Amino acid sequence: MTASGDIGLIGLAVMGQNLAMNIADHGYTIVVHNRTTERTDEFLAGPATGMSITGAETPQQLTDALETPRRIILMVKAGPAVDAVIEGLLPHLDPGDVIIDGGNSFYEDSIRRTAYLEEQGFLFVGTGVSGGEEGARHGPSIMPGGSPAAWPLVKDILQSIAAKVADGTPCCDWVGPDGAGHYVKMVHNGIEYGDIQLLAEAYDIMRTGLGMTYDEMGDVFAEWNAGRLESYLVEITADVMRYRDEDGEPLLEKILDAAGQKGTGRWTVESSLALGIPATLLAEAVFARAASALKDERVEAARSLSGPDRVIDGDRSEILADLEQALYASKIVSYAQGFMLMRLASEEHGWDIDFGSVALMWRQGCIIRAAFLEPIRDAFGSQPDLSNLLLDEGFGDTVEAAHLGWRRTVSRGVMAGIPVPAYGSALAFFDSYRTDRLPANLIQALRDYFGAHTYERVDRSRGEWFHTDWTGEGGDVSAGSYNA
């Protein structure tokens, strides 16, 4: 086989097939391989007919067909499968060849794989790819990280196939070393969980609390999408509200209320706990899915546990105006928490992430793409050291203008017995963040009382720790100071 392929791709599930066709559309010759040759044959004889795509039956045939330095994208299931494919490729690679993991891999795996491959003279790119099937086919958001030396070798291809903003700038740029790309993709997915939960709570308030029809709700979401909430998720929420089943009834009404998850949202929350970042809204979104999975228990509990009648009284237009304020303000908090998390992770790992660039990468192609991301890019562009989006003048003013409607929305949900964990946790974070003295002094006092864990004092320097013998029987020995 003549070595004429520009790039290889392994893994021909839906994302892999669409990405391969996207690459071919942009003038590159691509060689594809799948563990089952039948899928390769079906792809070449079907969707890829007439395109500059050829097949390889084995990893060696694929590597033999590629020009050097070889560039090979893996679109296989995250986890051990990625390692297995890498091991199968290594005997057929030369130093300087590049392996690109385009799956939803855990960022720590990408850190490990970067080091492992670089030790052997190879280069690794762990890249987040967001946008689903449509994005992969026509232009996803791409978030590459890994071996810095690999970027010049893959930049042209990745940026050519990525989504573009209005001025033609690609939604793809180098994020940082080793696991930076997959970390940013992980946080993207955590924010996606938060966005979806906020929309679900808005839907519950409209449907359950206000008794609105699906067409009415679709109109509200469409109206919101024409304003400052313009985004892919709001747009498709309007579509979902209006979609009818074969019998003419709303399909959404027939879908079981037990949400699934693939783990990236949980990873985001676990990372936030490990780094001590209060990503509270993102956590509530993950827990809300876990609560929805308790379907049988909830059905039983609904028969025995009483509460309010789940009806919200009042002027509908005012309630919906407040709900829009709550949704927008909560989204600001969600993104603020996500960028807080990325900032600390960047510092911990030495990634030097450009947060304005990240916002631009998310502006088109990805699931959370929204007009909302342009002011985020501008905020970090003008203030690279901005510690929190809430401290940006524009976002701060917006949240202050929205907070009364936000509070009324949370209050209405609570009083009607309609769960609003995402709105409520976002509001609690906002109130905590803007409070200069929280009741954590009592927490420290109690920890010192029962465990001699020590505390700091407001009238002494930070970092100076004290212990009190609260009962007169404990003595002066402390357990040592630490934050937890």
Side-chain angles (χ1 to χ4, degrees):
M1 185 178 289
T2 304
S4 59
D6 297 308
I7 189 167
L9 184 144
I10 297 177
L12 290 174
V14 174
M15 286 290 287
Q17 290 189 19
N18 284 329
L19 203 63
M21 291 188 287
N22 185 358
I23 293 170
D25 283 344
H26 287 84
Y28 296 99
T29 299
I30 180 167
V31 184
V32 299
H33 167 72
N34 196 74
R35 182 173 55 87
T36 55
T37 55
E38 293 83 2
R39 177 166 290 183
T40 304
D41 294 339
E42 291 171 0
F43 175 56
L44 295 175
T49 300
M51 305 184 80
S52 56
I53 302 176
T54 59
E57 293 186 2
T58 66
Q60 183 171 359
Q61 283 186 4
L62 181 138
T63 56
D64 287 347
L66 298 177
E67 295 183 352
T68 57
R70 301 176 181 89
R71 297 164 292 187
I72 303 171
I73 300 177
L74 311 185
M75 297 299 294
V76 300
K77 184 178 180 181
V82 176
D83 293 315
V85 172
I86 289 174
E87 291 301 323
L89 281 172
L90 291 185
H92 314 296
L93 298 180
D94 296 318
D97 288 348
V98 184
I99 293 177
I100 307 161
D101 176 14
N104 263 337
S105 289
F106 188 43
Y107 77 97
E108 290 186 353
D109 287 339
S110 292
I111 293 175
R112 170 177 57 80
R113 289 168 184 147
T114 302
Y116 173 68
L117 289 171
E118 287 182 349
E119 287 172 358
Q120 301 180 70
F122 307 114
L123 301 175
F124 178 78
V125 175
T127 183
V129 178
S130 178
E133 300 171 21
E134 179 185 355
R137 181 67 184 89
H138 301 293
S141 169
I142 304 177
M143 297 151 261
S147 305
W151 180 230
L153 303 176
V154 301
K155 178 180 178 179
D156 288 347
I157 292 180
L158 295 184
Q159 290 192 334
S160 69
I161 67 172
K164 310 294 190 298
V165 296
D167 66 0
T169 302
C171 294
C172 170
D173 203 354
W174 188 248
V175 177
D178 50 64
H182 272 133
Y183 193 91
V184 167
K185 175 56 163 58
M186 179 190 77
V187 174
H188 164 283
N189 285 23
I191 292 173
E192 176 189 313
Y193 273 54
D195 276 0
I196 292 174
Q197 179 62 27
L198 290 169
L199 291 168
E201 292 176 22
Y203 156 66
D204 203 12
I205 287 173
M206 292 184 205
R207 172 184 169 275
T208 306
L210 298 177
M212 295 173 64
T213 68
Y214 280 88
D215 284 335
E216 289 173 334
M217 291 185 287
D219 289 345
V220 171
F221 283 111
E223 180 183 345
W224 286 352
N225 191 54
R228 62 181 180 174
L229 284 168
E230 178 194 345
S231 66
Y232 173 68
L233 285 171
V234 174
E235 175 188 349
I236 67 173
T237 300
D239 292 343
V240 168
M241 294 295 157
R242 293 166 171 164
Y243 196 89
R244 296 295 182 267
D245 201 4
E246 295 176 351
D247 60 3
E249 296 299 314
L251 177 59
L252 185 56
E253 192 70 18
K254 300 180 180 181
I255 296 177
L256 184 69
D257 57 318
Q261 52 184 311
K262 292 187 175 180
T264 48
R266 175 174 54 80
W267 292 346
T268 307
V269 175
E270 289 173 347
S271 179
S272 74
L273 290 170
L275 293 173
I277 294 296
T280 53
L281 189 154
L282 311 185
E284 287 294 350
V286 173
F287 290 135
R289 295 196 187 190
S292 78
L294 303 175
K295 176 64 176 179
D296 293 341
E297 292 182 41
R298 290 190 290 109
V299 170
E300 181 180 354
R303 299 191 187 104
S304 59
L305 301 178
S306 61
D309 59 8
R310 295 170 58 82
V311 173
I312 297 175
D313 296 318
D315 183 276
R316 178 183 288 186
S317 62
E318 292 180 1
I319 294 169
L320 291 175
D322 285 347
L323 183 56
E324 191 271 349
Q325 297 271 34
L327 176 55
Y328 195 72
S330 296
K331 279 177 64 70
I332 292 175
V333 168
S334 178
Y335 283 72
Q337 292 179 353
F339 278 92
M340 287 169 63
L341 185 54
M342 288 189 290
R343 177 173 293 281
L344 187 52
S346 180
E347 293 173 358
E348 289 278 318
H349 294 283
W351 288 334
D352 194 25
I353 295 175
D354 181 334
F355 303 109
S357 177
V358 170
L360 180 64
M361 280 185 263
W362 292 348
R363 180 61 185 89
Q364 294 291 342
C366 68
I367 302 302
I368 64 171
R369 60 185 182 266
F372 174 79
L373 284 153
E374 288 192 14
I376 293 180
R377 178 196 60 183
D378 294 342
F380 283 112
S382 60
Q383 306 167 80
D385 296 326
L386 181 66
S387 60
N388 192 299
L389 280 175
L390 293 171
L391 298 180
D392 172 73
E393 183 177 358
F395 283 111
D397 290 347
T398 298
V399 173
E400 286 185 12
H403 81 98
L404 292 178
W406 192 7
R407 295 180 193 282
R408 286 190 292 266
T409 296
V410 173
S411 297
R412 289 184 183 112
V414 171
M415 294 306 296
I418 298 173
V420 286
Y423 291 124
S425 65
L427 181 58
F429 173 83
F430 170 68
D431 284 337
S432 294
Y433 194 69
R434 67 180 187 85
T435 300
D436 62 354
R437 186 169 175 85
L438 292 169
N441 51 330
L442 176 59
I443 295 172
Q444 288 298 84
L446 294 174
R447 293 177 69 242
D448 190 56
Y449 189 110
F450 66 69
H453 293 302
T454 72
Y455 54 85
E456 295 170 286
R457 295 175 61 105
V458 297
D459 55 353
R460 303 293 176 87
S461 300
R462 289 298 303 268
E464 189 175 355
W465 297 89
F466 299 87
H467 167 61
T468 293
D469 182 3
W470 298 89
T471 64
E473 299 175 356
D476 295 328
V477 178
S478 68
S481 61
Y482 59 89
N483 294 317

